[in-house]
Amino acid sequence: MRQDEFVESRTLLQKAVELSPANRKDQWKPAFDRANYWGLIADARTAFEDSNSSKGIALLRKAVEMDPKEAVGILQLGDALLAENDAAGAEANFRLVLRDDKKNLGALDSLIGLLALQKRVKDLEELSAYMSPRQMTVLSELKASQLWDKAKAAEAAGNIAAAQANLEDAVLMTPDNPWL
């Protein structure tokens, strides 16, 4: 396990559990459970490398079921679900990690990316207290883009004052944006 050989560790620890006397089986169980968890993560990674995403997702689900507090499996499951176009499932997993650790960078980055793709500004604003300056830039760019769209709509409707106000607000949010 110290060498991160979790699949082999799982096999060896399973033998240790099986060969131990009944009163000593509990001695190996915690180590076996950890090796099994990380072994499932490794097996899932191999499944994804072999282009078998359904098997990889099933293995990640099993790992998360074994240890629902370990963020690594939950985040990898969220990423896998996102890759399979299950945005709702991915979001649920990212939020699950953030529920326990509001500043988990992996979960925060993944959720911000997902919400930005869906242009869900209000949901992004709810996360702003935990965002880094880099992540806040994503929110500012998205807001500026929406103001730009409002400005174009106002101009098309003949409301030049509203178009100008929206563009000015957009420029204030993202002054380095040359398109604005």
Side-chain angles (χ1 to χ4, degrees), residues 68-144:
K69 294 291 185 192
E70 178 61 57
V72 172
I74 300 169
L75 288 175
Q76 286 186 14
L77 178 58
D79 289 339
L81 292 172
L82 188 58
E84 292 296 310
N85 297 317
D86 181 358
E91 181 179 345
N93 280 284
F94 300 145
R95 287 189 183 275
L96 183 62
V97 172
L98 289 173
R99 183 191 69 201
D100 295 332
D101 180 7
K102 299 276 190 239
K103 295 184 179 184
N104 184 297
L105 189 58
L108 202 53
D109 274 344
S110 295
L111 185 58
I112 288 168
L114 176 63
L115 295 175
L117 284 173
Q118 296 174 343
K119 298 182 179 183
R120 292 169 48 191
V121 173
K122 291 209 185 302
D123 290 330
L124 284 167
E125 287 174 338
E126 290 173 7
L127 298 171
S128 65
Y130 309 106
M131 289 182 182
S132 68
R134 176 185 54 82
Q135 294 164 333
M136 287 298 289
T137 302
V138 172
L139 178 57
S140 296
E141 292 287 338
L142 190 56
K143 283 181 171 182

Side-chain angles (χ1 to χ4, degrees), residues 2-61:
R2 288 185 183 140
Q3 296 171 358
D4 292 339
E5 298 291 337
F6 299 111
V7 175
E8 186 178 352
S9 298
R10 176 177 52 192
T11 303
L12 295 171
L13 286 165
Q14 185 173 11
K15 285 180 184 178
V17 169
E18 291 169 0
L19 296 174
S20 293
N23 62 344
R24 303 278 301 206
K25 288 190 187 295
D26 291 343
Q27 170 186 359
W28 299 106
K29 183 89 169 96
F32 170 74
D33 288 344
R34 294 308 309 150
N36 193 24
Y37 174 86
W38 290 106
L40 287 169
I41 299 292
D43 292 344
R45 197 169 296 129
T46 301
F48 290 122
E49 289 169 2
D50 293 341
S51 299
N52 191 347
S53 59
S54 60
K55 180 180 179 183
I57 289 172
L59 289 167
L60 288 173
R61 286 186 196 278

